[in-house]
Amino acid sequence: MTGGQIAGLIAAIALLILVLFIGMFLVKLNKTLGELNRSMKTMTSDVDTLSHQTENIMANANELLADVNQKVAKIDPVFQAAADLGESVSDLNTATRKLTDRVGETAKKSATSSLAARVGKTAFDLYRSRSRKHQTND
């Protein structure tokens, strides 16, 4: 064999090895793309299922919200009545405090008047008893 034939044989073997590696690469790439395609189909199916479930949840949430709004509207007067009652109790407490203050002031005035009356009566009694002593001594 000549040098050119040996070089051609080496080039042919190198080309054969290159074609084999490219073929193996393409087979692996084909498997990977196949798995990717299956995964995409599964994900699409799962996303569709999730989308339907999400729509159902949103519909149920909307119904629940409407129900809660109706019930809150029914309860609103109760809270208003409780607020009005609280305001009335506060007004009653204020009126009671004012009345208590007035009664206390009146009681103080009455006590002062009563004390003055007792002192006056005692002084008058002393005066009368002295006057009687002076009359009996005269």
Side-chain angles (χ1 to χ4, degrees), residues 1 4 6 8 10-11 15 43 51 77 106 111 119 122 130 133:
M1 282 195 150
I6 292 176
I10 290 175
L15 185 62
M43 282 181 23
S51 175
T106 304
V119 168
T122 304
R130 276 191 178 177
K133 279 186 186 179

Side-chain angles (χ1 to χ4, degrees), residues 77-133:
V78 174
F79 287 118
Q80 184 62 43
D84 293 344
L85 178 64
E87 190 174 329
S88 297
V89 168
S90 177
D91 292 344
L92 180 64
N93 283 340
T94 302
T96 303
R97 280 191 196 107
K98 286 180 182 178
L99 179 63
T100 303
D101 290 343
R102 285 182 187 164
V103 167
E105 290 172 9
T106 304
K108 285 179 186 177
K109 288 179 183 176
S110 295
T112 303
S113 298
S114 175
L115 180 63
R118 278 192 238 155
V119 168
K121 184 179 183 294
T122 304
F124 184 71
D125 288 344
L126 284 173
Y127 174 75
R128 261 199 305 186
S129 71
R130 276 191 178 177
S131 292
R132 283 186 195 158
K133 279 186 186 179

Side-chain angles (χ1 to χ4, degrees), residues 54-64:
T54 303
E55 287 175 9
N56 289 339
I57 289 172
M58 290 299 287
N60 289 339
N62 287 338
E63 288 177 20
L64 182 62

